[in-house]
């Protein structure tokens, strides 16, 4: 069953707790992540919203939670937000949106990665908002974003739609704030330092 759930989840392989470095996370953030990994939030149809700059580990952490839930027998689906929006838009154009939403309803937890990177047209905004409304208080959403709520009008364009979308997400939600250094920038600095060191030694 777990193998089937893992295949259906489309979770990135290797993005689990065994590869997640939480040593630089604040204690509160680490505690929140481990608590969410128990899956209790899914029983309440509660949501998770992870905020942070690119490369801080928010997507990895949410995928790790997803892997933990799958291992516990829960149904999870991971998707980049832009891809799901395009799939739902295609379904709407084919007059098949209700069936597409019902298929997503089979998953207790839906992980929408990188919502802030999507610059939606009015039609795309509509299907994303419809998804939020369909899952509200029924199924869980896990959302990662490089934009804080005050910047979500860049996504939903219309102030009233933005407020309504945020209201549905945060009503029952845990907010994860990744105020930590970027893994990628730290690795880049480390590689640059090693190159500088090796270059210095070669001139000796």
């Amino acid at each position: 069953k777990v193998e089937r759930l893992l295949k259906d989840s489309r979770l990135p392989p290797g993005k689990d707790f065994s590869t997640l470095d939480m040593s630089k996370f604040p204690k509160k953030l680490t505690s929140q992540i481990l608590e969410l990994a128990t899956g209790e939030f899914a029983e309440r149809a509660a949501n998770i919203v992870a905020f942070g700059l690119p490369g801080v580990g928010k997507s990895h952490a949410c995928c790790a939670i997803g892997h933990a839930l799958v291992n516990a027998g829960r149904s999870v689906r991971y998707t980049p937000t832009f891809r799901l929006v395009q799939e739902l838009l295609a379904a709407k154009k084919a007059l098949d949106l209700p069936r597409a939403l019902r298929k997503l309803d089979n998953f207790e937890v839906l992980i929408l990665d990188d919502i802030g990177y999507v610059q939606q047209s009015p039609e795309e905004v509509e299907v994303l908002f419809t998804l939020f409304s369909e899952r509200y208080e029924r199924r869980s959403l896990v959302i990662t974003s490089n934009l804080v709520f005050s910047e979500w009008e860049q996504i939903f364009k219309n102030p009233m739609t933005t407020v309504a979308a945020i209201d549905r997400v945060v009503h029952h939600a845990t907010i994860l704030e990744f105020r930590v250094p970027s893994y990628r920038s730290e690795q880049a600095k480390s590689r640059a330092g090693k190159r500088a060191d090796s270059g210095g030694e070669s001139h000796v």
Side-chain angles (χ1 to χ4, degrees):
K1 180 185 176 182
V2 170
E3 287 181 4
R4 177 178 55 80
L5 289 171
L6 183 59
K7 182 180 179 182
D8 291 343
S9 75
R10 301 181 185 174
L11 282 162
K15 294 284 187 179
D16 54 25
F17 281 112
S18 69
T19 57
L20 179 62
D21 180 9
M22 293 194 286
S23 62
K24 293 183 180 179
F25 291 175
K27 286 184 178 179
K28 178 185 176 182
L29 179 59
T30 300
S31 177
Q32 284 178 305
I33 292 169
L34 295 177
E35 171 64 26
L36 291 167
T38 66
E40 188 270 338
F41 77 95
E43 295 176 12
R44 297 181 287 109
N47 302 320
I48 302 171
V49 186
F51 290 116
L53 295 172
V56 295
K58 60 186 183 297
S59 294
H60 192 155
C62 289
C63 286
I65 292 170
H67 277 285
L69 299 183
V70 166
N71 288 333
R74 295 188 181 275
S75 55
V76 175
R77 167 61 62 87
Y78 165 88
T79 178
T81 306
F82 78 90
R83 185 176 298 161
L84 182 61
V85 166
Q86 291 304 314
E87 290 175 1
L88 292 177
L89 188 57
K92 183 186 177 186
K93 289 178 178 176
L95 305 180
D96 204 24
L97 183 59
R99 189 176 71 87
L101 292 170
R102 282 197 300 272
K103 284 179 66 177
L104 292 172
D105 203 44
N106 291 327
F107 298 98
E108 294 176 72
V109 178
L110 179 61
I111 302 175
L112 298 177
D113 199 15
D114 286 335
I115 192 175
Y117 285 119
V118 183
Q119 300 293 321
Q120 284 109 343
S121 68
E123 294 80 12
E124 292 170 319
V125 168
E126 184 182 346
V127 294
L128 183 59
F129 184 79
T130 300
L131 173 66
F132 282 15
S133 299
E134 284 290 316
R135 295 187 73 86
Y136 178 57
E137 294 191 322
R138 296 178 55 256
R139 294 294 202 182
S140 295
L141 285 170
V142 177
I143 298 170
T144 74
S145 177
N146 61 332
L147 299 176
V148 295
F149 286 132
S150 61
E151 299 171 308
W152 274 28
E153 197 170 324
Q154 294 179 37
I155 303 169
F156 291 97
K157 310 301 182 185
N158 179 288
M160 289 185 65
T161 305
T162 303
V163 170
I166 293 171
D167 183 60
R168 282 162 174 75
V169 170
V170 302
H171 187 199
H172 307 286
T174 299
I175 309 299
L176 302 178
E177 296 188 65
F178 286 76
R179 294 177 178 173
V180 295
S182 166
Y183 285 121
R184 290 194 281 269
S185 63
E186 293 279 310
Q187 290 171 351
K189 288 176 185 177
S190 176
R191 288 195 296 270
K194 287 177 182 177
R195 282 198 297 271
D197 290 344
S198 62
E201 290 170 2
S202 64
H203 291 298
V204 174

